[in-house]
Amino acid sequence: MSVNPSFTRGDRTPPWGALESHARGAARQFDLRQAFAADPARFDRLSLQAPAVFADLSKNLWDDTVRGHLLDLADACGVARRRDAMFAGMPINATEGRAVLHTALRAPRGQGPYSQDVHEVLDRLLGYAESIRDVGRSGIRDVVNIGIGGSDLGPQMAVAALDAHVHPELRFHFVSNVDGHDLAPVLRRLDPDRTLFIIASKTFTTQETLANAEAAKAWFLAQGGRDVGRHFVGVTTNLTAAAAFGIHTTFGFWDWVGGRYSLWGAIGLPIAIALGADGFRALLSGAHAMDGHFQQAAPEVNLPLQLGLLDVWYRNFLGFASRSVAPYHQGLRRLPAYLQQLEMESNGKSVDVDGQPLPFATSPVVWGEPGTNGQHAYFQMLHQGTDVIPVEFIAVKEPTHGLPGLHRKLLANCLAQSQALMLGKTAQEAALESPPTASASMPPAVIAQHRTFSGNRPSTTFVLERLDPYALGALVALYEHRVFTSAAVWGINAYDQWGVELGKALCNQLLPRLETGEVSGLDASTAGLLARLR
Ligand code: F6P
């Protein structure tokens, strides 16, 4: 019997079969150009407005039949019940026996589980952040966050995204890699008396973070730094280990907050220092508004639900193995990396919650670069390669840079790419053109073949009015709930990450061998490489 009897895995429900038949039949004929020609209201019908995020879903390879089956699938799997169980604090992270309550971190005071604990830490965190922002008194000019994975990617992404809102006299640095080439160039630019190190680690056991923290402390002392207790603070659930490191100021969180879902609490300290208390609270309220949308909006207009179901359609029925994210905002340059952890660490699983091997695919590869840079690198493959890769464009209407002549060009590029993916170009159309760089010795019909685009390639476009803390909070929460949705259909636990452990354990075994050169018992490849690297 399932450990979660009230939820059913997607492939064991009738709508799954209906989607399979549809994918093998009518869906093969689906053509976006024809769909738009046949239905002038397609854009209006397939666009959704969620808090701070407008989404055009109309350039996707689906129609009312597919959407109907997908909604039936969500219903049959009990996605809504599972969602309610998460918000209520049920231990839906079954393999670790934990609740999943990052949503509680952004619930207003008095609402949501653990409200008193959450707001106690939040008030203290924001008070501390404000004290650092008072640079005249604090003396701090550089804030260095040392953490990795969820203790790095969220704050790093958000501080970059909200650059226009960041304290003008503070600089932020993010060090994650145990490669000293990460920490060393940062340290070179620092004055110990004016630097605050945040040691961010949920467990306070992560090799990379502890090694970097030790190296930073040694540098600090060697540079004549005084008062480690004032210049090093900790963010962790493991207050004992932080104290053993010599940190007196700590901000805690709880085991019901997963690392990749943790930017809303104490792990968000760099964000809070960058934006100030009001900005951080705005980030939380944007996310909370998206939580409300996910909980209350009808399935047909529920954006995270629709996106998660679309992901299932693409992954399991059309066989698309990756999704490209293209934020047309340079501030969102770390969003793809953030989403990689959020989605691939959550949903990169091959057994269901009962430990049964899955007979279908789960997490796609999520990847991308900001537009327009990606256009000059891998978009060639998106347009003419042999794989169909759904692209997710993110456009922001109002820029904050104040420079003339740039923003319209950026937006025109964004629109043009989704249009080109959809429209394509036939060989006949290509034959009518005379490209100046085409070889004169090659027949024009052959050149036209090279210049043909199949089109009918799917994309989604998100539009934000502006990239402010509220909108970023809503956008990130949207992605969280979308990941939740596909996980619920797949019947997997999106909140553990056992897959990272084997490599960590083997690393611990290899570490002394790098010192001694002892290779006995190792496979020949690892032994040979180890010998070369010594
Ligand atoms: O290696 C994976 C992981 O456990 C992530 O899930 C987590 O975000 C990261 O390492 C960092 O962990 P910690 O915050 O405990 O240092």
Side-chain angles (χ1 to χ4, degrees):
M1 179 167 120
S2 170
V3 292
N4 268 314
S6 56
F7 314 121
T8 310
R9 209 174 78 188
D11 62 318
R12 295 177 176 148
T13 68
W16 188 276
L19 284 160
E20 273 177 338
S21 325
H22 189 73
R24 279 195 304 267
R28 288 170 166 261
Q29 315 306 325
F30 181 84
D31 186 281
L32 276 170
R33 293 153 292 202
Q34 285 167 15
F36 275 98
D39 178 7
R42 184 173 168 88
F43 171 74
D44 291 328
R45 285 196 313 105
L46 293 175
S47 315
L48 292 178
Q49 179 68 61
V53 185
F54 172 86
D56 171 17
L57 303 176
S58 65
K59 289 199 190 89
N60 281 294
L61 305 180
W62 61 352
D63 56 15
D64 290 343
T65 308
V66 174
R67 292 179 79 223
H69 289 322
L70 287 170
L71 288 173
D72 290 346
L73 179 65
D75 197 37
C77 293
V79 173
R81 279 198 307 281
R82 195 167 174 78
R83 174 201 64 202
D84 295 343
M86 174 176 74
F87 277 91
M90 307 275 286
I92 65 162
N93 174 358
T95 50
E96 297 181 308
R98 292 176 181 169
V100 174
L101 276 174
H102 46 280
T103 52
L105 298 177
R106 55 228 191 186
R109 201 180 301 275
Q111 295 177 30
Y114 301 108
S115 188
Q116 200 176 333
D117 294 349
V118 165
H119 283 273
E120 245 169 52
V121 173
L122 182 62
D123 290 344
R124 205 163 69 78
L125 186 85
L126 296 183
Y128 178 75
E130 287 296 346
S131 76
I132 298 298
R133 286 169 61 82
D134 185 351
V135 293
R137 286 194 176 186
S138 73
I140 297 297
R141 290 292 185 281
D142 289 278
V143 177
V144 183
N145 190 77
I146 296 181
I148 196 164
S151 301
D152 164 66
L153 290 164
Q156 187 179 162
M157 177 275 292
V159 170
L162 299 172
D163 178 63
H165 303 261
V166 169
H167 191 300
E169 289 171 87
L170 288 170
R171 286 182 299 263
F172 290 82
H173 314 270
F174 293 87
V175 173
S176 53
N177 200 337
V178 75
D179 180 356
H181 296 107
D182 200 1
L183 179 61
V186 172
L187 293 180
R188 259 201 307 277
R189 292 174 178 80
L190 300 180
D191 171 351
D193 291 336
R194 297 178 147 239
T195 301
L196 176 71
F197 290 96
I198 300 171
I199 312 303
S201 176
K202 178 177 169 180
T203 55
F204 225 86
T205 58
T206 303
Q207 182 206 58
E208 294 93 326
T209 301
L210 295 191
N212 276 320
E214 290 292 356
K217 191 164 79 173
W219 170 89
F220 178 81
L221 295 172
Q223 297 295 309
R226 292 176 303 275
D227 205 351
V228 169
R230 200 169 80 82
H231 289 270
F232 284 74
V233 298
V235 176
T236 185
T237 56
N238 187 350
L239 302 181
T240 320
F245 177 87
I247 286 179
H248 311 307
T249 308
T250 42
F251 299 94
F253 58 115
W254 305 273
D255 70 0
W256 38 263
V257 181
R260 54 194 174 274
Y261 297 86
S262 63
L263 75 85
W264 316 103
I267 289 290
L269 179 58
I271 311 173
I273 297 174
L275 306 182
D278 290 347
F280 195 76
R281 287 191 191 279
L283 181 85
L284 298 184
S285 62
H288 180 68
M290 190 61 77
D291 294 342
H293 171 84
F294 185 47
Q295 287 176 286
Q296 287 142 26
E300 300 73 25
V301 293
N302 193 311
L303 184 56
L305 180 80
Q306 294 276 327
L307 287 169
L309 293 174
L310 181 60
D311 292 338
V312 169
W313 170 239
Y314 282 163
R315 189 74 183 103
N316 299 121
F317 302 98
L318 299 192
F320 301 157
S322 89
R323 187 172 74 246
S324 186
V325 183
Y328 276 65
H329 191 300
Q330 191 62 21
L332 291 172
R333 62 189 172 278
R334 294 297 290 164
L335 184 70
Y338 175 79
L339 295 178
Q340 280 175 340
Q341 190 199 16
L342 178 65
E343 187 145 353
M344 294 163 75
E345 197 172 77
S346 296
N347 284 353
K349 311 286 166 64
S350 52
V351 297
D352 67 14
V353 283
D354 295 324
Q356 296 302 312
L358 294 172
F360 51 78
T362 56
S363 176
V365 177
V366 179
W367 58 284
E369 280 289 320
T372 60
N373 296 1
Q375 290 174 210
H376 298 272
Y378 55 79
F379 268 58
Q380 162 68 38
M381 185 262 202
L382 298 181
H383 287 291
Q384 286 191 315
T386 48
D387 291 283
V388 175
I389 297 178
V391 185
E392 199 150 276
F393 296 95
I394 304 174
V396 179
K397 191 170 162 190
E398 290 173 16
T400 48
H401 54 67
L403 299 171
L406 295 173
H407 195 60
R408 274 207 194 124
K409 293 188 176 72
L410 178 75
L411 294 182
N413 270 285
C414 181
L415 291 174
Q417 291 303 319
S418 70
Q419 203 183 19
L421 286 165
M422 172 174 77
L423 295 180
K425 188 193 281 184
T426 62
Q428 289 83 345
E429 286 167 336
L432 297 174
E433 299 167 348
S434 332
T437 55
S439 163
S441 60
M442 190 169 258
V446 177
I447 298 287
Q449 289 299 332
H450 286 273
R451 303 187 68 254
T452 298
F453 296 66
S454 65
N456 200 32
R457 297 201 169 198
S459 67
T460 295
T461 301
F462 294 150
V463 178
L464 312 184
E465 286 296 306
R466 59 196 74 80
L467 187 58
D468 59 13
Y470 183 90
L472 184 70
L475 182 69
V476 174
L478 169 66
Y479 278 106
E480 290 176 347
H481 296 319
R482 163 198 206 155
V483 168
F484 171 92
T485 299
S486 48
V489 171
W490 289 331
I492 62 181
N493 180 6
Y495 302 101
D496 61 15
Q497 55 285 321
W498 304 103
V500 302
E501 292 195 354
L502 178 58
K504 288 184 189 176
L506 294 180
C507 171
N508 287 336
Q509 290 170 22
L510 288 171
L511 201 50
R513 290 177 181 265
L514 270 165
E515 178 74 30
T516 61
E518 173 58 58
V519 295
S520 59
L522 290 181
D523 63 89
S525 165
T526 308
L529 291 169
L530 190 140
R532 275 192 166 255
L533 283 167
R534 285 192 72 234

